[in-house]
Amino acid sequence: MLIIKMIPGENIDRALKRYRNKVRNTQQLKRIRDNQEFTKKSKEKRESMKKAIHRKEYLKMNEV
């Protein structure tokens, strides 16, 4: 659970904006979505390898 301290005299919209940024920076929503269903270790590994290959090809293409 994320806690945002309200500064005296601070606008509620500003506090909500700080809360949203904190949620985004901690990737809390991503973890909640990932935990909705079980993912096998082999599938996680396969997806990470796929991501790494894509990243490598992208960087290689931009070097030329």
Side-chain angles (χ1 to χ4, degrees), residues 2-39:
L2 298 174
I3 298 173
I4 301 293
K5 302 255 184 191
M6 284 288 293
I7 301 169
E10 182 182 26
N11 189 359
I12 189 72
D13 293 327
R14 181 72 182 139
L16 282 172
K17 186 175 183 177
R18 287 192 305 129
Y19 178 76
R20 280 189 231 113
N21 286 336
K22 198 168 192 178
V23 167
R24 194 175 303 126
N25 291 339
T26 58
Q27 296 182 349
Q28 187 177 25
L29 197 57
K30 183 181 182 287
R31 279 184 284 168
I32 291 171
R33 287 181 180 153
D34 287 344
N35 289 336
Q36 282 183 347
E37 58 186 44
F38 178 75
T39 307

Side-chain angles (χ1 to χ4, degrees), residues 29-61:
L29 197 57
K30 183 181 182 287
R31 279 184 284 168
I32 291 171
R33 287 181 180 153
D34 287 344
N35 289 336
Q36 282 183 347
E37 58 186 44
F38 178 75
T39 307
K40 292 183 357 179
K41 296 284 184 187
S42 59
K43 187 172 182 182
E44 287 178 6
K45 187 175 179 182
R46 189 171 39 236
E47 287 178 2
S48 68
M49 289 296 287
K50 192 170 146 182
K51 208 178 215 183
I53 291 169
H54 175 67
R55 189 180 309 122
K56 187 176 179 181
E57 288 175 357
Y58 178 77
L59 291 173
K60 186 177 180 181
M61 201 166 54

